[in-house]
Short mmCIF file of all heavy atoms in Angstrom, two decimals:
data_model
loop_
_atom_site.label_atom_id
_atom_site.label_comp_id
_atom_site.label_asym_id
_atom_site.label_seq_id
_atom_site.Cartn_x
_atom_site.Cartn_y
_atom_site.Cartn_z
N THR A 2 188.13 106.25 -50.56
CA THR A 2 188.62 107.06 -51.66
C THR A 2 187.45 107.39 -52.57
O THR A 2 186.65 106.52 -52.88
CB THR A 2 189.72 106.32 -52.44
OG1 THR A 2 190.75 105.95 -51.51
CG2 THR A 2 190.30 107.16 -53.53
N SER A 3 187.35 108.66 -52.95
CA SER A 3 186.26 109.07 -53.83
C SER A 3 186.69 110.19 -54.74
O SER A 3 187.70 110.85 -54.51
CB SER A 3 185.05 109.53 -53.00
OG SER A 3 185.37 110.71 -52.29
N ALA A 4 185.91 110.39 -55.79
CA ALA A 4 186.14 111.49 -56.73
C ALA A 4 184.83 112.24 -56.89
O ALA A 4 183.76 111.64 -56.96
CB ALA A 4 186.61 110.96 -58.08
N GLU A 5 184.92 113.56 -56.92
CA GLU A 5 183.74 114.40 -57.14
C GLU A 5 184.03 115.32 -58.31
O GLU A 5 185.13 115.86 -58.43
CB GLU A 5 183.43 115.25 -55.91
CG GLU A 5 183.08 114.45 -54.68
CD GLU A 5 182.83 115.37 -53.49
OE1 GLU A 5 183.83 115.81 -52.89
OE2 GLU A 5 181.65 115.66 -53.21
N PHE A 6 183.05 115.49 -59.16
CA PHE A 6 183.17 116.35 -60.33
C PHE A 6 181.99 117.30 -60.33
O PHE A 6 180.85 116.86 -60.36
CB PHE A 6 183.21 115.52 -61.61
CG PHE A 6 184.33 114.50 -61.61
CD1 PHE A 6 184.10 113.20 -61.19
CD2 PHE A 6 185.61 114.87 -62.00
CE1 PHE A 6 185.13 112.27 -61.17
CE2 PHE A 6 186.65 113.94 -61.97
CZ PHE A 6 186.41 112.64 -61.56
N PHE A 7 182.25 118.60 -60.29
CA PHE A 7 181.21 119.60 -60.21
C PHE A 7 181.05 120.29 -61.56
O PHE A 7 182.02 120.61 -62.23
CB PHE A 7 181.57 120.64 -59.14
CG PHE A 7 181.72 120.03 -57.76
CD1 PHE A 7 182.95 119.55 -57.33
CD2 PHE A 7 180.62 119.92 -56.93
CE1 PHE A 7 183.08 118.98 -56.08
CE2 PHE A 7 180.76 119.35 -55.67
CZ PHE A 7 181.98 118.88 -55.25
N VAL A 8 179.79 120.53 -61.96
CA VAL A 8 179.50 121.19 -63.23
C VAL A 8 180.10 122.59 -63.19
O VAL A 8 179.87 123.35 -62.25
CB VAL A 8 177.98 121.25 -63.47
CG1 VAL A 8 177.67 122.05 -64.73
CG2 VAL A 8 177.40 119.86 -63.55
N ALA A 9 180.89 122.92 -64.21
CA ALA A 9 181.53 124.24 -64.33
C ALA A 9 182.31 124.61 -63.08
O ALA A 9 182.35 125.76 -62.67
CB ALA A 9 180.49 125.31 -64.66
N GLY A 10 182.91 123.62 -62.44
CA GLY A 10 183.65 123.89 -61.22
C GLY A 10 184.79 122.92 -61.03
O GLY A 10 185.35 122.39 -61.98
N LYS A 11 185.10 122.65 -59.79
CA LYS A 11 186.27 121.85 -59.48
C LYS A 11 186.01 120.35 -59.61
O LYS A 11 184.88 119.88 -59.64
CB LYS A 11 186.75 122.15 -58.07
CG LYS A 11 185.89 121.56 -56.95
CD LYS A 11 186.52 121.86 -55.60
CE LYS A 11 185.77 121.16 -54.48
NZ LYS A 11 186.40 121.38 -53.18
N ALA A 12 187.12 119.63 -59.68
CA ALA A 12 187.13 118.18 -59.56
C ALA A 12 187.97 117.90 -58.32
O ALA A 12 188.96 118.58 -58.06
CB ALA A 12 187.76 117.53 -60.77
N ALA A 13 187.56 116.93 -57.50
CA ALA A 13 188.26 116.68 -56.25
C ALA A 13 188.43 115.19 -56.00
O ALA A 13 187.53 114.40 -56.29
CB ALA A 13 187.51 117.32 -55.09
N LEU A 14 189.59 114.83 -55.48
CA LEU A 14 189.86 113.46 -55.06
C LEU A 14 190.04 113.45 -53.55
O LEU A 14 190.76 114.29 -52.99
CB LEU A 14 191.13 112.93 -55.73
CG LEU A 14 191.12 112.86 -57.24
CD1 LEU A 14 192.49 112.41 -57.75
CD2 LEU A 14 190.04 111.91 -57.73
N SER A 15 189.40 112.49 -52.90
CA SER A 15 189.49 112.38 -51.45
C SER A 15 189.97 111.00 -51.05
O SER A 15 189.78 110.02 -51.78
CB SER A 15 188.13 112.63 -50.81
OG SER A 15 187.67 113.92 -51.09
N HIS A 16 190.59 110.92 -49.87
CA HIS A 16 191.04 109.65 -49.30
C HIS A 16 190.59 109.61 -47.86
O HIS A 16 190.85 110.53 -47.08
CB HIS A 16 192.56 109.52 -49.39
CG HIS A 16 193.09 108.25 -48.80
ND1 HIS A 16 192.94 107.04 -49.43
CD2 HIS A 16 193.73 108.01 -47.65
CE1 HIS A 16 193.49 106.10 -48.69
NE2 HIS A 16 193.97 106.66 -47.59
N ASN A 17 189.86 108.55 -47.51
CA ASN A 17 189.30 108.41 -46.15
C ASN A 17 188.52 109.65 -45.72
O ASN A 17 188.63 110.12 -44.59
CB ASN A 17 190.40 108.11 -45.13
CG ASN A 17 190.93 106.70 -45.25
OD1 ASN A 17 190.26 105.81 -45.79
ND2 ASN A 17 192.13 106.47 -44.78
N GLY A 18 187.75 110.22 -46.66
CA GLY A 18 186.90 111.36 -46.35
C GLY A 18 187.60 112.70 -46.29
O GLY A 18 186.99 113.71 -45.98
N SER A 19 188.90 112.73 -46.59
CA SER A 19 189.66 113.98 -46.55
C SER A 19 190.11 114.35 -47.96
O SER A 19 190.79 113.57 -48.62
CB SER A 19 190.88 113.80 -45.64
OG SER A 19 191.66 114.97 -45.60
N GLU A 20 189.72 115.56 -48.41
CA GLU A 20 190.08 116.00 -49.76
C GLU A 20 191.60 116.16 -49.87
O GLU A 20 192.22 116.80 -49.04
CB GLU A 20 189.39 117.32 -50.08
CG GLU A 20 189.53 117.74 -51.52
CD GLU A 20 188.69 118.96 -51.83
OE1 GLU A 20 187.45 118.81 -51.96
OE2 GLU A 20 189.27 120.05 -51.92
N LYS A 21 192.18 115.53 -50.88
CA LYS A 21 193.63 115.55 -51.07
C LYS A 21 194.08 116.30 -52.32
O LYS A 21 195.14 116.89 -52.34
CB LYS A 21 194.19 114.12 -51.12
CG LYS A 21 193.97 113.33 -49.85
CD LYS A 21 194.70 113.97 -48.69
CE LYS A 21 194.48 113.23 -47.40
NZ LYS A 21 195.17 113.88 -46.29
N LEU A 22 193.28 116.27 -53.39
CA LEU A 22 193.63 116.93 -54.64
C LEU A 22 192.38 117.57 -55.21
O LEU A 22 191.34 116.92 -55.29
CB LEU A 22 194.20 115.93 -55.65
CG LEU A 22 194.55 116.51 -57.01
CD1 LEU A 22 195.95 117.14 -56.94
CD2 LEU A 22 194.52 115.47 -58.09
N ALA A 23 192.50 118.85 -55.60
CA ALA A 23 191.35 119.53 -56.18
C ALA A 23 191.84 120.50 -57.24
O ALA A 23 192.90 121.11 -57.10
CB ALA A 23 190.57 120.29 -55.11
N THR A 24 191.06 120.64 -58.30
CA THR A 24 191.37 121.66 -59.29
C THR A 24 190.79 122.99 -58.79
O THR A 24 189.81 123.02 -58.05
CB THR A 24 190.79 121.32 -60.67
OG1 THR A 24 189.37 121.18 -60.56
CG2 THR A 24 191.39 120.03 -61.21
N THR A 25 191.44 124.08 -59.18
CA THR A 25 190.98 125.41 -58.82
C THR A 25 190.91 126.25 -60.10
O THR A 25 191.34 125.80 -61.16
CB THR A 25 191.94 126.10 -57.82
OG1 THR A 25 193.17 126.37 -58.48
CG2 THR A 25 192.19 125.22 -56.60
N SER A 26 190.45 127.47 -59.98
CA SER A 26 190.38 128.34 -61.15
C SER A 26 191.76 128.71 -61.67
O SER A 26 191.92 129.11 -62.82
CB SER A 26 189.60 129.61 -60.84
OG SER A 26 190.26 130.34 -59.81
N THR A 27 192.80 128.53 -60.83
CA THR A 27 194.16 128.87 -61.24
C THR A 27 195.08 127.67 -61.41
O THR A 27 196.24 127.82 -61.75
CB THR A 27 194.80 129.83 -60.22
OG1 THR A 27 194.79 129.20 -58.93
CG2 THR A 27 194.05 131.14 -60.16
N GLY A 28 194.57 126.46 -61.17
CA GLY A 28 195.41 125.26 -61.31
C GLY A 28 194.91 124.13 -60.45
O GLY A 28 193.79 123.67 -60.61
N ALA A 29 195.74 123.68 -59.51
CA ALA A 29 195.39 122.57 -58.64
C ALA A 29 195.94 122.80 -57.24
O ALA A 29 196.92 123.52 -57.06
CB ALA A 29 195.93 121.25 -59.20
N GLU A 30 195.30 122.18 -56.27
CA GLU A 30 195.73 122.29 -54.88
C GLU A 30 195.89 120.89 -54.31
O GLU A 30 195.01 120.04 -54.46
CB GLU A 30 194.67 123.06 -54.08
CG GLU A 30 195.04 123.30 -52.65
CD GLU A 30 194.00 124.19 -51.96
OE1 GLU A 30 193.83 125.34 -52.39
OE2 GLU A 30 193.36 123.67 -51.03
N VAL A 31 197.03 120.64 -53.66
CA VAL A 31 197.31 119.35 -53.04
C VAL A 31 197.35 119.56 -51.54
O VAL A 31 198.03 120.48 -51.05
CB VAL A 31 198.65 118.77 -53.51
CG1 VAL A 31 198.99 117.50 -52.77
CG2 VAL A 31 198.63 118.53 -55.00
N THR A 32 196.62 118.73 -50.80
CA THR A 32 196.67 118.76 -49.35
C THR A 32 197.43 117.52 -48.89
O THR A 32 197.08 116.41 -49.26
CB THR A 32 195.25 118.75 -48.75
OG1 THR A 32 194.55 119.87 -49.26
CG2 THR A 32 195.28 118.80 -47.25
N GLY A 33 198.50 117.71 -48.13
CA GLY A 33 199.33 116.59 -47.71
C GLY A 33 200.64 116.60 -48.47
O GLY A 33 201.11 117.64 -48.92
N THR A 34 201.21 115.45 -48.65
CA THR A 34 202.51 115.30 -49.29
C THR A 34 202.34 114.89 -50.74
O THR A 34 201.55 113.99 -51.04
CB THR A 34 203.35 114.24 -48.56
OG1 THR A 34 203.49 114.64 -47.20
CG2 THR A 34 204.72 114.08 -49.18
N LEU A 35 203.09 115.53 -51.62
CA LEU A 35 203.11 115.15 -53.04
C LEU A 35 204.45 114.47 -53.30
O LEU A 35 205.50 115.08 -53.11
CB LEU A 35 202.96 116.39 -53.92
CG LEU A 35 203.10 116.17 -55.43
CD1 LEU A 35 201.99 115.25 -55.94
CD2 LEU A 35 203.08 117.49 -56.16
N ASN A 36 204.43 113.22 -53.69
CA ASN A 36 205.65 112.49 -54.01
C ASN A 36 205.76 112.33 -55.51
O ASN A 36 204.85 111.84 -56.16
CB ASN A 36 205.62 111.09 -53.37
CG ASN A 36 205.69 111.16 -51.86
OD1 ASN A 36 206.53 111.84 -51.30
ND2 ASN A 36 204.77 110.48 -51.19
N ALA A 37 206.90 112.75 -56.06
CA ALA A 37 207.17 112.59 -57.48
C ALA A 37 208.18 111.44 -57.63
O ALA A 37 209.18 111.41 -56.93
CB ALA A 37 207.75 113.87 -58.06
N THR A 38 207.91 110.52 -58.54
CA THR A 38 208.81 109.36 -58.68
C THR A 38 210.06 109.69 -59.47
O THR A 38 211.04 108.97 -59.38
CB THR A 38 208.08 108.19 -59.37
OG1 THR A 38 207.60 108.62 -60.64
CG2 THR A 38 206.92 107.71 -58.51
N THR A 39 210.06 110.76 -60.25
CA THR A 39 211.26 111.11 -61.00
C THR A 39 211.65 112.55 -60.74
O THR A 39 212.59 112.82 -60.01
CB THR A 39 211.08 110.89 -62.52
OG1 THR A 39 209.92 111.59 -62.96
CG2 THR A 39 210.94 109.42 -62.84
N ASP A 40 210.94 113.52 -61.27
CA ASP A 40 211.32 114.92 -61.14
C ASP A 40 210.07 115.77 -61.08
O ASP A 40 209.08 115.49 -61.73
CB ASP A 40 212.18 115.34 -62.35
CG ASP A 40 212.71 116.75 -62.23
OD1 ASP A 40 212.97 117.21 -61.10
OD2 ASP A 40 212.87 117.41 -63.27
N LEU A 41 210.13 116.82 -60.30
CA LEU A 41 209.05 117.79 -60.22
C LEU A 41 209.46 119.00 -61.04
O LEU A 41 210.57 119.52 -60.87
CB LEU A 41 208.81 118.20 -58.77
CG LEU A 41 207.74 119.24 -58.52
CD1 LEU A 41 206.38 118.75 -59.00
CD2 LEU A 41 207.68 119.59 -57.05
N GLN A 42 208.60 119.44 -61.95
CA GLN A 42 208.93 120.58 -62.79
C GLN A 42 207.91 121.69 -62.59
O GLN A 42 206.72 121.43 -62.43
CB GLN A 42 208.97 120.18 -64.27
CG GLN A 42 210.09 119.22 -64.56
CD GLN A 42 210.37 119.10 -66.04
OE1 GLN A 42 209.72 119.71 -66.87
NE2 GLN A 42 211.37 118.31 -66.37
N ILE A 43 208.41 122.92 -62.59
CA ILE A 43 207.57 124.10 -62.51
C ILE A 43 207.88 124.94 -63.74
O ILE A 43 209.03 125.29 -63.97
CB ILE A 43 207.83 124.90 -61.22
CG1 ILE A 43 207.49 124.04 -60.00
CG2 ILE A 43 207.03 126.20 -61.23
CD1 ILE A 43 207.83 124.69 -58.68
N ASN A 44 206.85 125.21 -64.53
CA ASN A 44 207.02 125.95 -65.79
C ASN A 44 208.10 125.34 -66.67
O ASN A 44 208.90 126.06 -67.27
CB ASN A 44 207.30 127.43 -65.51
CG ASN A 44 206.12 128.13 -64.90
OD1 ASN A 44 204.98 127.79 -65.17
ND2 ASN A 44 206.38 129.09 -64.04
N GLY A 45 208.17 124.02 -66.72
CA GLY A 45 209.11 123.33 -67.60
C GLY A 45 210.53 123.22 -67.09
O GLY A 45 211.41 122.73 -67.78
N SER A 46 210.78 123.68 -65.86
CA SER A 46 212.13 123.64 -65.32
C SER A 46 212.14 122.80 -64.05
O SER A 46 211.27 122.92 -63.19
CB SER A 46 212.61 125.07 -65.00
OG SER A 46 213.91 125.04 -64.49
N SER A 47 213.15 121.94 -63.92
CA SER A 47 213.28 121.06 -62.77
C SER A 47 213.43 121.86 -61.49
O SER A 47 214.21 122.81 -61.41
CB SER A 47 214.51 120.16 -62.94
OG SER A 47 214.81 119.50 -61.73
N VAL A 48 212.68 121.50 -60.46
CA VAL A 48 212.78 122.17 -59.17
C VAL A 48 214.19 121.99 -58.61
O VAL A 48 214.78 122.94 -58.10
CB VAL A 48 211.73 121.64 -58.18
CG1 VAL A 48 211.97 122.16 -56.78
CG2 VAL A 48 210.33 122.01 -58.66
N GLN A 49 214.76 120.81 -58.73
CA GLN A 49 216.11 120.57 -58.23
C GLN A 49 217.12 121.46 -58.96
O GLN A 49 218.00 122.04 -58.34
CB GLN A 49 216.51 119.10 -58.38
CG GLN A 49 217.85 118.77 -57.75
CD GLN A 49 217.86 119.01 -56.24
OE1 GLN A 49 216.96 118.56 -55.54
NE2 GLN A 49 218.86 119.71 -55.75
N ALA A 50 216.97 121.60 -60.27
CA ALA A 50 217.88 122.45 -61.03
C ALA A 50 217.74 123.90 -60.58
O ALA A 50 218.74 124.62 -60.47
CB ALA A 50 217.60 122.32 -62.52
N GLN A 51 216.52 124.34 -60.32
CA GLN A 51 216.31 125.71 -59.85
C GLN A 51 216.98 125.93 -58.51
O GLN A 51 217.62 126.95 -58.28
CB GLN A 51 214.81 126.02 -59.75
CG GLN A 51 214.13 126.14 -61.08
CD GLN A 51 212.64 126.42 -60.94
OE1 GLN A 51 212.14 126.69 -59.85
NE2 GLN A 51 211.92 126.34 -62.04
N LEU A 52 216.84 124.95 -57.60
CA LEU A 52 217.47 125.08 -56.29
C LEU A 52 218.98 125.08 -56.40
O LEU A 52 219.65 125.85 -55.73
CB LEU A 52 216.99 123.95 -55.36
CG LEU A 52 215.55 124.02 -54.91
CD1 LEU A 52 215.18 122.77 -54.12
CD2 LEU A 52 215.29 125.26 -54.08
N ASN A 53 219.51 124.20 -57.24
CA ASN A 53 220.96 124.15 -57.42
C ASN A 53 221.50 125.46 -57.99
O ASN A 53 222.59 125.90 -57.63
CB ASN A 53 221.36 122.99 -58.34
CG ASN A 53 221.15 121.65 -57.68
OD1 ASN A 53 221.03 121.54 -56.46
ND2 ASN A 53 221.08 120.61 -58.48
N ALA A 54 220.75 126.09 -58.87
CA ALA A 54 221.21 127.31 -59.52
C ALA A 54 221.13 128.52 -58.59
O ALA A 54 221.89 129.47 -58.75
CB ALA A 54 220.39 127.57 -60.77
N THR A 55 220.23 128.49 -57.62
CA THR A 55 220.01 129.68 -56.79
C THR A 55 220.53 129.55 -55.37
O THR A 55 220.58 130.55 -54.65
CB THR A 55 218.51 130.04 -56.73
OG1 THR A 55 217.80 128.94 -56.18
CG2 THR A 55 217.98 130.39 -58.10
N ALA A 56 220.90 128.35 -54.94
CA ALA A 56 221.34 128.17 -53.55
C ALA A 56 222.51 127.20 -53.49
O ALA A 56 222.50 126.18 -54.13
CB ALA A 56 220.18 127.65 -52.72
N SER A 57 223.51 127.55 -52.69
CA SER A 57 224.69 126.68 -52.62
C SER A 57 224.86 126.02 -51.27
O SER A 57 225.72 125.15 -51.11
CB SER A 57 225.95 127.49 -52.96
OG SER A 57 226.10 128.56 -52.05
N THR A 58 224.08 126.39 -50.27
CA THR A 58 224.20 125.77 -48.96
C THR A 58 222.90 125.11 -48.56
O THR A 58 221.83 125.48 -49.06
CB THR A 58 224.58 126.80 -47.88
OG1 THR A 58 223.48 127.70 -47.71
CG2 THR A 58 225.84 127.56 -48.24
N GLY A 59 222.96 124.16 -47.65
CA GLY A 59 221.76 123.48 -47.17
C GLY A 59 220.76 124.45 -46.57
O GLY A 59 219.55 124.33 -46.78
N LYS A 60 221.24 125.44 -45.83
CA LYS A 60 220.35 126.42 -45.21
C LYS A 60 219.63 127.23 -46.27
O LYS A 60 218.43 127.46 -46.18
CB LYS A 60 221.14 127.33 -44.28
CG LYS A 60 220.29 128.30 -43.52
CD LYS A 60 221.14 129.10 -42.54
CE LYS A 60 220.29 130.07 -41.74
NZ LYS A 60 221.11 130.85 -40.80
N ALA A 61 220.32 127.65 -47.30
CA ALA A 61 219.70 128.43 -48.36
C ALA A 61 218.69 127.60 -49.12
O ALA A 61 217.62 128.10 -49.51
CB ALA A 61 220.76 128.98 -49.31
N ILE A 62 218.99 126.33 -49.36
CA ILE A 62 218.05 125.44 -50.05
C ILE A 62 216.79 125.27 -49.22
O ILE A 62 215.68 125.37 -49.72
CB ILE A 62 218.69 124.08 -50.37
CG1 ILE A 62 219.76 124.27 -51.45
CG2 ILE A 62 217.64 123.07 -50.81
CD1 ILE A 62 220.59 123.02 -51.71
N ALA A 63 216.95 125.05 -47.91
CA ALA A 63 215.79 124.89 -47.03
C ALA A 63 214.93 126.16 -47.04
O ALA A 63 213.70 126.10 -47.10
CB ALA A 63 216.24 124.57 -45.61
N MET A 64 215.56 127.33 -47.01
CA MET A 64 214.82 128.58 -47.05
C MET A 64 214.11 128.74 -48.39
O MET A 64 212.98 129.22 -48.44
CB MET A 64 215.75 129.76 -46.79
CG MET A 64 216.24 129.80 -45.36
SD MET A 64 217.38 131.16 -45.04
CE MET A 64 216.31 132.55 -45.26
N ALA A 65 214.74 128.31 -49.48
CA ALA A 65 214.11 128.40 -50.80
C ALA A 65 212.88 127.54 -50.86
O ALA A 65 211.86 127.93 -51.42
CB ALA A 65 215.11 128.01 -51.89
N ILE A 66 212.93 126.35 -50.27
CA ILE A 66 211.78 125.45 -50.28
C ILE A 66 210.65 126.06 -49.44
O ILE A 66 209.50 126.10 -49.87
CB ILE A 66 212.17 124.06 -49.74
CG1 ILE A 66 213.09 123.38 -50.74
CG2 ILE A 66 210.93 123.21 -49.47
CD1 ILE A 66 213.75 122.11 -50.22
N VAL A 67 210.98 126.57 -48.25
CA VAL A 67 209.96 127.12 -47.35
C VAL A 67 209.33 128.40 -47.92
O VAL A 67 208.13 128.58 -47.89
CB VAL A 67 210.55 127.39 -45.95
CG1 VAL A 67 209.58 128.18 -45.08
CG2 VAL A 67 210.93 126.09 -45.28
N PHE A 68 210.16 129.28 -48.49
CA PHE A 68 209.68 130.57 -48.93
C PHE A 68 209.48 130.67 -50.43
O PHE A 68 209.21 131.73 -50.97
CB PHE A 68 210.64 131.68 -48.45
CG PHE A 68 210.69 131.78 -46.96
CD1 PHE A 68 211.82 131.39 -46.28
CD2 PHE A 68 209.59 132.22 -46.24
CE1 PHE A 68 211.88 131.46 -44.90
CE2 PHE A 68 209.63 132.29 -44.86
CZ PHE A 68 210.77 131.91 -44.18
N GLY A 69 209.61 129.56 -51.15
CA GLY A 69 209.31 129.54 -52.58
C GLY A 69 210.36 130.20 -53.45
O GLY A 69 210.06 130.72 -54.50
N GLY A 70 211.61 130.15 -53.02
CA GLY A 70 212.68 130.79 -53.79
C GLY A 70 213.14 130.02 -54.97
O GLY A 70 212.76 129.01 -55.38
#
């Protein structure tokens, strides 16, 4: 596990030589699985609440997750 910090650039965390988390000019990028212990929020709104509000079936929820709905 290591951390790299670049002057006027990104910061990156690696595990076993593979970069897993890095900052970008627009935010952050995660490679692999991101596990949240309570709730994941996007722009202050719960992802689960967004899915519940926009999809009523398992198929629609799966499509929303895959296609960012």
Side-chain angles (χ1 to χ4, degrees):
T2 304
S3 66
E5 297 178 280
F6 303 94
F7 300 90
V8 175
K11 74 176 186 177
L14 299 176
S15 298
H16 179 74
N17 287 338
S19 179
E20 189 173 284
K21 298 297 178 181
L22 178 83
T24 59
T25 68
S26 62
T27 58
E30 183 175 297
V31 175
T32 302
T34 302
L35 174 64
N36 293 311
T38 58
T39 54
D40 185 32
L41 178 61
Q42 294 195 358
I43 298 175
N44 293 328
S46 181
S47 168
V48 171
Q49 186 62 49
Q51 289 179 9
L52 290 174
N53 290 342
T55 60
S57 60
T58 67
K60 185 176 181 180
I62 291 172
M64 290 178 67
I66 291 170
V67 170
F68 297 110

